[in-house]
Amino acid sequence: MRSDPAEYKLVSPGNLPAVLSLLAGEPAQWLPIAGGTDVMVLYSAGKLPNRKLINIWNILELRQIEVSPDRIRIGAACTYTALRRHDIVSREFPLLAMAASWTGGIANQNRGTLGGNIANASPAADSLPALLAYEAELTLISVRGERRVAYRNFHTGYKQTVLAADELIRDISLPRRFSGYLWYARKVGARNAQAISKVCLAALGQISDGTIRDVRLALGSVAPIPLRLNKTEHALTGKKIEPSLIDTARKMVVTEIQPIDDIRSTARYRAAVAGNLVAEFLERLATERKNA
Amino acid sequence: MNTSPGTGAKCVVLFTVNGEAKKLFVHPMERLLDVLRNDLRLTGAKEGCGEGECGSCSILLDGMLVNSCLVPVAQASGASIVTIEGMSAHALMNPLQEAFLECGGAQCGICTPGMILAAVYLLEKKPEPAPADIREGLAGNLCRCTGYMQIFEAVSKAARRRVTK
Ligand SMILES: Cc1cc2nc3c(=O)[nH]c(=O)nc-3n(C[C@H](O)[C@H](O)[C@H](O)COP(=O)(O)OP(=O)(O)OC[C@H]3O[C@@H](n4cnc5c(N)ncnc54)[C@H](O)[C@@H]3O)c2cc1C
Ligand code: FES
Ligand code: FES
């Protein structure tokens, strides 16, 4: 059943302090809406429990991308299109630019925001593995002040996060030290645009003298939250890439994930694909060694 | 825009549509698609899915291609909106219309306004799109009739004609 607009409220204070004081004044009453590409889908289906919405699409502070010598700070309400068009994002953070290019069609990318993807906290969200791989840090803001949270600690369970009811994500900050890494991003779904992932991998690796110096593996859709594969990474670091190592990695990946059966796929399929994606990435890393 | 005092309150929203200033008294969570179609009688934008999947409700909001079914009208406050009705004078319209006709790019026509807007949005940025660019540019627009190849061909033909002119 479609929602009746007369039963909903949407206010547009237009500046950050006013938004924050509304959020603080009646905690858990107000739902922020940025690009609306998650919120409006629920609303249209008559499934949006919140009756009071607060517009953050027009808050300019949340739409900026600031670049300093060692970090890039992405305002939470930056759209996928803004990310894809940004020179530094596309050159130094290809995992993120690639994920942005997968997120629905162009019209969706013109509205959907990175902060919305994070706060919506779907385990299938496409840009979240990239944020794990790049060691993102979030700035959360409320009338109580600002706090920084390492993105890897943001999700606490299925659709559960550390974001308090009076807080907004203000920005996503990434260290600029991964541009020399080999990157690998792959989404497996019915198709890339307009299809929710069955599995998606964001991976970074650095290799010298045939030995893995550093490796980052982050997967979507294989656990209640976006997952970094710490154990597998640890087992790979400092090792030479050989077929036996790739095999070990493939097996280890499966022990770290908790995939489920759902309408899009099965747990067995997801486990097999997750292992294969990691193996494919390692094979690429190995050829990188040969080329060098 | 005004902040409405209580649930259920309407508010004033001002924007321009196809160059004309409009002042509306609406519920802020009304979908822009419904306001365009019902209040402003601009029925070019269609409702296919109502959930962002099909692109038949595409419009340009401040120059950006968006799905109007996912935009609450209050978020369009102060915006400049262009619908398919406002495109007739656009330089790309003739070549696109001709190519759609020649290639069989439209059958029932429900997807067509969205396809044309997505194609214009693409060709303005990439006047000579590769086939992959066309597929990406139209990936958010679904068609139940043509099978897509005719549409891709039409967009490619329109681009070639425009470039050689
Ligand atoms: C057709 C379609 C295709 C899609 N395809 C994909 C896809 O391929 N991959 C994918 O990952 N997603 C996809 N999505 C989902 C969606 O586009 C993304 O999750 C998007 O990033 C949401 O951003 P938004 O600004 O539109 O969020 P909104 O709908 O505005 O908000 C989503 C949630 O985040 C909260 N929120 C937003 N901004 C903030 C903030 N700054 N601080 C705190 N809370 C905030 C809101 O309160 C709400 O709970 C798709 C959606 C549609 C409609
Ligand atoms: S009706 Fe809006 S995308 Fe389908
Ligand atoms: S022509 Fe009928 S949906 Fe495309």
Side-chain angles (χ1 to χ4, degrees):
Chain A
M1 251 294 282
R2 168 144 310 154
S3 303
D4 177 1
E7 289 172 10
Y8 291 80
K9 185 161 163 173
L10 167 58
V11 300
S12 215
N15 67 76
L16 194 51
V19 169
L20 295 177
S21 69
L22 263 180
L23 285 177
E26 290 172 273
Q29 289 292 301
W30 294 92
L31 181 74
I33 175 169
T37 61
D38 283 313
V39 169
M40 290 302 285
V41 173
L42 287 179
Y43 168 79
S44 287
K47 290 182 186 157
L48 186 67
N50 313 66
R51 289 287 182 270
K52 291 157 90 173
L53 293 99
I54 184 161
N55 181 18
I56 61 167
W57 176 251
N58 62 347
I59 308 293
L60 294 180
E61 286 146 283
L62 301 178
R63 302 285 288 269
Q64 249 113 60
I65 300 182
E66 284 167 40
V67 179
S68 63
D70 57 345
R71 297 193 84 82
I72 182 166
R73 206 171 276 287
I74 300 165
C78 286
T79 62
Y80 295 107
T81 299
L83 293 176
R84 291 184 72 188
R85 288 183 186 167
H86 196 272
D87 193 42
I88 305 281
V89 173
S90 49
R91 266 193 292 141
E92 296 181 24
F93 302 96
L95 295 175
L96 185 57
M98 184 65 97
S101 79
W102 294 333
T103 309
I106 300 297
N108 198 64
Q109 292 167 25
N110 282 341
R111 289 276 293 169
T113 67
L114 188 55
N117 206 225
I118 297 170
N120 192 57
S122 160
D126 283 315
S127 54
L128 306 185
L131 298 182
L132 282 178
Y134 288 130
E135 312 227 325
E137 181 183 82
L138 307 182
T139 307
L140 310 183
I141 186 165
S142 70
V143 289
R144 296 173 287 129
E146 278 183 22
R147 59 178 177 134
R148 302 256 163 97
V149 177
Y151 175 61
R152 65 169 185 279
N153 299 328
F154 182 75
H155 300 282
T156 53
Y158 178 72
K159 291 236 164 199
Q160 302 290 309
T161 74
V162 301
L163 192 73
D166 65 346
E167 277 179 320
L168 284 181
I169 302 168
R170 200 195 68 180
D171 62 60
I172 299 97
S173 154
L174 308 174
R176 295 178 65 188
R177 57 186 180 83
F178 297 109
S179 56
Y181 281 60
L182 183 97
W183 62 276
Y184 174 90
R186 181 132 181 230
K187 166 172 177 168
V188 176
R191 62 184 189 132
N192 275 350
Q194 304 290 77
I196 297 174
S197 291
K198 294 175 182 168
V199 178
C200 97
L201 172 68
L204 292 171
Q206 212 175 29
I207 183 166
S208 65
D209 306 324
T211 301
I212 299 175
R213 300 295 166 193
D214 190 14
V215 62
R216 280 122 205 287
L217 306 167
L219 282 166
S221 293
V222 296
I225 61 174
L227 203 68
R228 188 108 176 243
L229 303 180
N230 297 313
K231 251 173 55 192
T232 312
E233 289 177 6
H234 190 72
L236 289 168
T237 308
K239 304 271 169 56
K240 290 213 184 288
I241 303 185
E242 279 155 4
S244 62
L245 184 73
I246 295 180
D247 228 47
T248 310
R250 194 199 296 269
K251 291 189 185 113
M252 200 165 225
V253 168
V254 177
T255 65
E256 281 200 85
I257 62 181
Q258 308 125 46
I260 55 163
D261 289 336
D262 67 7
I263 50 164
R264 279 181 290 282
S265 190
T266 62
R268 239 181 96 211
Y269 176 85
R270 288 190 161 106
V273 170
N276 290 348
L277 293 183
V278 169
E280 187 172 78
F281 163 65
L282 293 172
E283 278 154 15
R284 297 261 174 101
L285 253 188
T287 23
E288 180 80 349
R289 169 191 58 183
K290 280 179 207 128
N291 295 343
Chain B
M1 66 161 265
N2 301 339
T3 51
S4 42
T7 303
K10 289 190 173 187
C11 65
V12 174
V13 172
L14 300 163
F15 51 53
T16 70
V17 180
N18 302 328
E20 269 179 54
K22 301 284 177 194
K23 181 177 182 178
L24 294 146
F25 192 56
V26 285
H27 290 291
M29 278 296 281
E30 274 179 63
R31 304 180 311 169
L32 182 54
L33 173 64
D34 297 325
V35 173
L36 292 171
R37 290 181 57 89
N38 303 337
D39 300 23
L40 299 174
R41 298 276 157 209
L42 294 166
T43 54
K46 309 277 185 263
E47 174 157 9
C49 64
E51 49 186 61
E53 298 281 350
C54 77
S56 66
C57 64
S58 300
I59 57 154
L60 299 173
L61 184 68
D62 286 329
M64 303 298 274
L65 185 76
V66 305
N67 292 324
S68 62
C69 71
L70 297 186
V71 180
V73 64
Q75 281 193 330
S77 171
S80 153
I81 294 165
V82 177
T83 67
I84 192 74
E85 288 89 345
M87 293 298 290
S88 54
H90 194 287
L92 279 161
M93 279 310 272
N94 263 339
L96 275 169
Q97 281 170 315
E98 274 171 23
F100 265 70
L101 275 173
E102 289 164 16
C103 301
Q107 287 184 31
C108 79
I110 296 286
C111 71
T112 315
M115 288 287 178
I116 300 268
L117 277 170
V120 168
Y121 188 78
L122 169 72
L123 295 180
E124 278 181 346
K125 283 163 195 66
K126 290 207 170 121
E128 296 178 62
D133 296 326
I134 297 178
R135 282 171 182 260
E136 182 185 26
L138 303 185
N141 296 79
L142 303 186
C143 175
R144 294 299 300 265
C145 304
T146 64
Y148 299 100
M149 299 316 291
Q150 297 89 330
I151 294 173
F152 298 154
E153 200 186 314
V155 174
S156 158
K157 199 168 192 177
R160 283 197 306 273
R161 265 199 205 138
R162 183 116 189 294
V163 170
T164 49
K165 254 184 202 163

